[in-house]
Amino acid sequence: MSLYFASFIKSFSFLNYDMLLQLRMRELSIDLFSISFLSSVTSAVGSLATPFWGALSDESRSRKKVLFIAILIALAILPGYTVARRAIEFFLVATIFTFFASAFDPIAMAIFVESSAISRSIVVSVVNAVNSFGMGVGRIVISPLLNLLSVVHVMLVLFFAALTMLYFIHRAAVMPHHRYEIQRTNLQRVFSAITSKSVLKKKNLWAMYLGAFLRQLGIGGTFALIAVYLVEEVGLKKSMTILLASANPLMQVPSHFLAAWMMQKISSKYIAAFGMLTSGFGALLFAPADSALTVLLAYAVSGLGFGAFINGATNFVIENVPVNRRAEFLGLLTSVRSFGSLFGPLLAGWLAAFSFELVFVTMGSIMILGSILTFVYCQR
């Protein structure tokens, strides 16, 4: 149970830094491309770090120890965002912080799956629901705080909340797991997909990773400048921008449980493909947004899509990889998503120079393409 609290706090704090960083960098008169490039930096680092941490924990005697040390270092770096003034300083903090923070998702999910006696699909949905609820609650809390405090002070509030993660990780039970006994170099851990071709060919698992990449490319581009778009183009207040953004993760909560129920009846590949398709439509809805209500609808549809996608994709991966390499391939799923988020913000930063509407149409179309490829090529 302690690790569930840690997961909630991680989502409450870490996952709500992105919009605050957009607002903070804009306050410092940093250009749009640099703001969107920050997302690319974190995604690039995350794409390399997550399979590394997953593989390292598969080989380690204690997943919990690896997780605790990584998050401790990440938290030591996090306050650096509040003192950064130039774009390069934000990039440096993001690089170090993201490398260590990336350990949480693959290791925690492996522990959850291995320690639970209930259905795997239900466990995955509960964990994802906790994450979404944490992100949503965080945005609801942040919104009124922005009316009282500066962006930097709100970032510090999230930092102090994040510190409690260490207590809950420390309290988590130590779970034995099937260790991967083959010794690998760090380079092999980072690029695990290159040495795992036979696993990726099983039921065309590679297609799920490709679809996840395209879906995240689209999402990364959609939200790379969303705070700037809503404030400067739609005309919303900063506090309202954050409040409306809470509709995304809060809509994910029922979507996670709906996906778990549907996977009892149909293949997880169809759930993932549906999630990618819905995410694409969510991005398209931002293009004509001209009021708080239309923005709310776009966020809600996007949240519905994420819930279906992440549950379907996670379960499809777990079903088709070796038990003793579970964290590694869950890390690889996060990795390809991060890799997609590397290119999405870069493309969005370039397209935004022409129009924000072009950003959302392009990103939505890319996600719909990912849905089609997943539906066609992944095998049941």
Side-chain angles (χ1 to χ4, degrees):
M1 184 59 71
S2 292
L3 202 55
Y4 281 99
F5 283 108
S7 190
F8 172 87
I9 294 166
K10 183 267 299 182
S11 299
F12 178 94
S13 53
F14 289 1
L15 298 187
N16 282 313
Y17 257 78
D18 55 351
M19 295 187 73
L20 290 175
L21 287 172
Q22 291 179 36
L23 296 173
R24 176 57 181 162
M25 293 175 76
R26 201 58 173 160
E27 285 180 348
L28 296 170
S29 300
I30 295 175
D31 62 278
L32 289 177
F33 184 80
S34 294
I35 296 174
S36 65
F37 187 68
L38 180 66
S39 295
S40 295
V41 170
T42 59
S43 298
V45 175
S47 67
L48 300 176
T50 46
F52 166 79
W53 289 112
L56 187 64
S57 78
D58 282 338
E59 298 169 17
S60 173
R61 292 184 181 278
S62 172
R63 295 194 194 278
K64 173 182 166 180
K65 182 177 180 180
V66 174
L67 179 60
F68 185 89
I69 294 173
I71 297 303
L72 176 63
I73 298 174
L75 287 169
I77 300 300
L78 187 56
Y81 280 130
T82 63
V83 297
R85 293 292 181 274
R86 297 180 298 166
I88 188 65
E89 294 170 355
F90 282 96
F91 298 158
L92 179 61
V93 174
T95 297
I96 303 172
F97 169 75
T98 303
F99 177 79
F100 290 99
S102 294
F104 191 91
D105 286 342
I107 299 177
M109 183 61 79
I111 294 174
F112 284 129
V113 171
E114 291 164 353
S115 62
S116 178
I118 62 177
S119 168
R120 180 176 57 238
S121 61
I122 295 177
V123 172
V124 171
S125 296
V126 170
V127 173
N128 287 329
V130 168
N131 288 334
S132 297
F133 187 63
M135 187 192 304
V137 170
R139 290 178 179 178
I140 291 174
V141 171
I142 290 170
S143 178
L145 286 179
L146 283 174
N147 289 324
L148 302 172
L149 305 172
S150 68
V151 173
V152 169
H153 287 141
V154 174
M155 291 166 65
L156 286 172
V157 170
L158 293 185
F159 164 70
F160 286 113
L163 286 176
T164 61
M165 287 176 63
L166 295 174
Y167 169 77
F168 290 113
I169 294 174
H170 176 70
R171 294 277 298 175
V174 177
M175 299 303 303
H177 64 280
H178 297 283
R179 293 177 62 200
Y180 188 63
E181 301 291 347
I182 300 175
Q183 293 298 311
R184 290 170 288 184
T185 65
N186 286 336
L187 196 61
Q188 289 172 325
R189 294 187 184 113
V190 170
F191 298 102
S192 60
I194 298 175
T195 59
S196 308
K197 295 179 181 178
S198 61
V199 179
L200 293 174
K201 288 180 181 178
K202 182 181 179 182
K203 293 190 177 181
N204 288 340
L205 180 60
W206 61 267
M208 182 61 72
Y209 283 112
L210 176 60
F213 166 78
L214 292 173
R215 188 257 173 201
Q216 201 64 30
L217 189 155
I219 283 294
T222 299
F223 294 125
L225 295 168
I226 193 66
V228 176
Y229 169 69
L230 295 179
V231 171
E232 297 185 2
E233 298 290 324
V234 182
L236 300 179
K237 294 182 178 179
K238 292 179 181 179
S239 58
M240 179 59 70
T241 296
I242 301 295
L243 182 62
L244 291 174
S246 68
N248 185 316
L250 292 179
M251 188 62 190
Q252 292 171 18
V253 175
S255 179
H256 291 313
F257 293 113
L258 178 61
W261 177 76
M262 291 177 66
M263 279 186 289
Q264 305 299 317
K265 303 178 182 298
I266 60 177
S267 171
S268 56
K269 89 158 193 176
Y270 297 126
I271 307 300
F274 171 75
M276 296 175 195
L277 180 67
T278 307
S279 296
F281 283 125
L284 294 175
L285 287 172
F286 277 110
D290 58 0
S291 67
L293 184 60
T294 53
V295 171
L296 181 66
L297 177 62
Y299 268 124
V301 172
S302 183
L304 175 65
F306 176 76
F309 158 71
I310 195 63
N311 284 279
T314 300
N315 276 281
F316 192 83
V317 169
I318 292 173
E319 292 163 359
N320 293 290
V321 302
V323 173
N324 63 348
R325 300 181 70 184
R326 189 172 279 155
E328 175 186 351
F329 281 94
L330 287 171
L332 184 60
L333 179 63
T334 303
S335 174
V336 297
R337 291 173 57 214
S338 297
F339 198 54
S341 290
L342 187 161
F343 293 102
L346 290 176
L347 182 57
W350 177 68
L351 292 173
F354 300 96
S355 77
F356 276 103
E357 288 77 10
L358 183 59
V359 171
F360 301 127
V361 171
T362 301
M363 298 305 158
S365 300
I366 290 172
M367 286 187 274
I368 292 171
L369 173 61
S371 172
I372 295 171
L373 292 175
T374 301
F375 180 84
V376 171
Y377 288 102
C378 283
Q379 298 175 2
R380 295 182 58 182

